[in-house]
């Protein structure tokens, strides 16, 4: 797997990286890669320092599950799995993967429940690879669906509320707390989403950060990356904000949330959908580059919906059928031509 482009990472993105976390939290291992990388790029030391402070701001507690609690945990796992719906009719979903995702969510939640009396900070990280989608049940009972090639860091501590650092795309169903404890999603350096209990989608891939509200209410905080462009605004269901990372420009508009949130239910909604839109989807989901030399193909638009299957060949076969094209793949490059 290619080494990520760490040079262009900001502090939040570095703090989300598992290798970087290991380097900061286990200095005795002398991670040669990061030591050499910092020697090679000394100008990035301020970013490294900021990311180090972010990782170290969360205190970790050694945790050993007592034997008696292990039995309780196993009982909870089996009981919860018996309650899950039968999904065998879904031909594109492997039951063992579903069981593993459920198990991971229950273990995380149960472990948190068994240790929460210590009032210690909790930190969890999750990631997905290209062509992979996962669902996580956070310790506060909020649910997050992480889209392909995305990373997430969750922290919670007494008096500080719940915070998430997201690099990529995720759909959130945030659990409202009786004390109205805040839940904040940090995406790009200058862009934060604050909620109490709601359902929304955040996509920080590409040049823009896109936030779409499906249910509840959220407030966006845009820090001043460009002079005179800081803002704080509330969203109601059916509204979205698109924020440009470089220019600092942003716009709020009405939209159909399903177009942006249907992916977490395994569906791609297409409305005046172009081959360029498909190219963006394939790049963000699978890391594939669609090469389209015939620009006349970019003018063709379709409307409808199709299943999102996290398999490159299957998705390309579906897109080829819809757009009436042929494709030839070599590695991550896919050449497109008329049928």
């Amino acid at each position: 797997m290619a080494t990520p482009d760490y040079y262009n990472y900001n502090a939040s993105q570095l703090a989300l990286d598992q290798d970087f976390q290991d380097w900061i939290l286990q200095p005795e291992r002398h991670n040669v890669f990061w030591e050499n990388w910092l020697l090679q790029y000394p100008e990035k030391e301020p970013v490294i320092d900021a990311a180090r402070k972010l990782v170290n701001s969360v205190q970790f507690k050694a945790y050993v599950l007592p034997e008696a609690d292990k039995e309780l945990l196993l009982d909870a796992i089996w009981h919860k799995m018996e309650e899950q719906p039968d999904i065998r009719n879904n031909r594109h979903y492997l039951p063992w993967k579903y069981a593993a995702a459920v198990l991971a969510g229950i273990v995380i939640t149960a472990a948190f429940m068994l240790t929460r009396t210590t009032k210690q900070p909790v930190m969890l990280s999750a990631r997905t690879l290209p062509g992979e989608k996962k669902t996580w049940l956070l310790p506060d009972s909020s649910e997050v669906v992480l889209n392909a090639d995305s990373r997430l860091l969750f922290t919670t501590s007494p008096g500080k509320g719940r915070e998430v650092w997201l690099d990529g795309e995720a759909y959130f169903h945030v659990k409202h707390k009786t004390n109205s404890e805040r839940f904040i999603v940090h995406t790009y350096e200058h862009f934060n989403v604050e909620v109490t209990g709601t359902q929304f989608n955040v996509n920080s891939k590409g040049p823009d950060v896109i936030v779409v509200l499906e249910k509840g209410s959220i407030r966006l905080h845009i820090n001043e990356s460009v002079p005179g462009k800081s803002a704080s605004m509330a969203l109601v269901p059916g509204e979205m904000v698109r924020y440009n990372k470089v220019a600092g420009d942003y716009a709020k508009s009405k939209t159909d949330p399903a177009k942006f949130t249907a992916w977490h239910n395994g569906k791609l909604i297409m409305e005046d959908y172009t081959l360029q839109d498909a190219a963006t989807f394939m790049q963000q989901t699978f890391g594939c580059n669609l090469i389209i030399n015939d620009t006349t193909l970019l003018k063709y638009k379709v409307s409808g919906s199709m299943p999102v299957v996290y398999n490159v060949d299957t998705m390309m076969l579906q897109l080829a059928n819809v757009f009436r094209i042929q494709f030839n793949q070599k590695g991550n490059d896919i050449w497109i031509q008329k049928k």
Side-chain angles (χ1 to χ4, degrees):
M1 183 179 295
T3 302
D5 182 16
Y6 289 122
Y7 188 86
N8 291 314
Y9 275 28
N10 58 37
S12 298
Q13 290 172 317
L14 278 175
L16 284 167
D17 188 87
Q18 185 66 55
D19 289 336
F20 182 83
Q21 292 173 21
D22 291 342
W23 178 49
I24 299 302
L25 297 173
Q26 303 178 54
E28 69 280 358
R29 295 178 61 181
H30 299 291
N31 191 312
V32 176
F33 170 83
W34 284 105
E35 292 170 0
N36 290 338
W37 190 90
L38 192 52
L39 288 174
Q40 185 178 359
Y41 304 109
E43 70 275 16
K44 303 300 290 185
E45 188 166 355
V47 179
I48 292 288
D49 288 342
R52 180 186 287 110
K53 290 177 182 178
L54 182 58
V55 173
N56 285 331
S57 67
V58 181
Q59 301 174 22
F60 289 83
K61 177 178 181 295
Y63 172 66
V64 178
L65 191 64
E67 200 63 38
D69 289 338
K70 287 181 182 179
E71 296 298 324
L72 292 175
L73 178 56
L74 288 172
D75 288 343
I77 291 170
W78 287 116
H79 176 69
K80 188 67 177 178
M81 290 181 70
E82 288 172 357
E83 296 175 353
Q84 301 305 318
D86 187 353
I87 58 167
R88 287 173 295 178
N89 291 331
N90 187 342
R91 296 181 182 178
H92 301 297
Y93 210 109
L94 298 178
W96 68 267
K97 286 188 176 181
Y98 178 80
V102 172
L103 180 63
I106 297 169
V107 168
I108 289 171
T109 305
F112 175 75
M113 294 295 290
L114 291 169
T115 59
R116 65 179 179 176
T117 55
T118 63
K119 302 298 183 183
Q120 293 293 320
V122 174
M123 180 177 184
L124 299 171
S125 63
R127 69 167 300 179
T128 52
L129 300 174
E132 183 179 44
K133 180 183 75 170
K134 288 184 179 179
T135 299
W136 296 88
L137 186 64
L138 299 177
D140 68 338
S141 295
S142 296
E143 184 180 89
V144 57
V145 186
L146 204 57
N147 208 350
D149 195 20
S150 300
R151 290 171 295 176
L152 178 144
L153 179 71
F154 172 86
T155 70
T156 180
S157 58
K160 291 188 177 181
R162 302 164 287 172
E163 292 185 89
V164 166
W165 283 263
L166 172 68
D167 179 20
E169 183 172 20
Y171 177 85
F172 294 90
H173 187 173
V174 177
K175 181 75 172 180
H176 177 71
K177 308 292 281 188
T178 54
N179 62 354
S180 297
E181 184 181 67
R182 297 188 309 168
F183 188 107
I184 299 177
V185 180
H186 306 280
T187 55
Y188 185 64
E189 240 179 335
H190 305 283
F191 194 93
N192 303 311
V193 184
E194 182 179 348
V195 306
T196 52
T198 188
Q199 294 171 236
F200 61 101
N201 196 83
V202 180
N203 188 350
S204 65
K205 296 181 179 181
D208 299 328
V209 179
I210 303 172
V211 179
V212 180
L213 179 61
E214 188 173 60
K215 292 182 181 179
S217 62
I218 59 178
R219 178 167 289 276
L220 305 182
H221 302 286
I222 302 173
N223 300 330
E224 192 166 319
S225 59
V226 178
K229 292 190 176 180
S230 61
S232 179
M233 68 188 80
L235 265 66
V236 298
E239 288 186 333
M240 67 173 285
V241 166
R242 183 184 295 268
Y243 170 82
N244 185 272
K245 298 175 183 177
V246 177
D249 295 326
Y250 50 86
K252 183 166 75 168
S253 60
K254 294 282 188 181
T255 189
D256 177 6
K259 291 193 298 183
F260 297 87
T261 65
W263 66 266
H264 87 280
N265 286 321
K267 184 180 293 187
L268 177 65
I269 303 295
M270 301 177 292
E271 184 177 316
D272 289 334
Y273 199 79
T274 67
L275 198 53
Q276 185 59 57
D277 294 327
T280 299
F281 169 82
M282 292 300 294
Q283 197 283 324
Q284 292 188 353
T285 305
F286 300 101
C288 294
N289 303 311
L290 265 62
I291 301 171
I292 309 166
N293 293 322
D294 186 349
T295 56
T296 61
L297 292 173
L298 298 175
K299 299 177 182 179
Y300 188 58
K301 297 180 180 180
V302 300
S303 294
S305 66
M306 69 167 61
V308 175
V309 182
Y310 286 82
N311 177 279
V312 175
D313 293 337
T314 303
M315 284 306 305
M316 280 308 305
L317 285 171
Q318 291 187 134
L319 291 170
N321 184 52
V322 168
F323 286 99
R324 300 168 189 163
I325 56 172
Q326 299 182 88
F327 67 94
N328 181 34
Q329 181 177 357
K330 185 177 181 180
N332 288 331
D333 293 329
I334 302 176
W335 282 266
I336 303 297
Q337 56 186 339
K338 287 182 180 178
K339 183 176 286 187

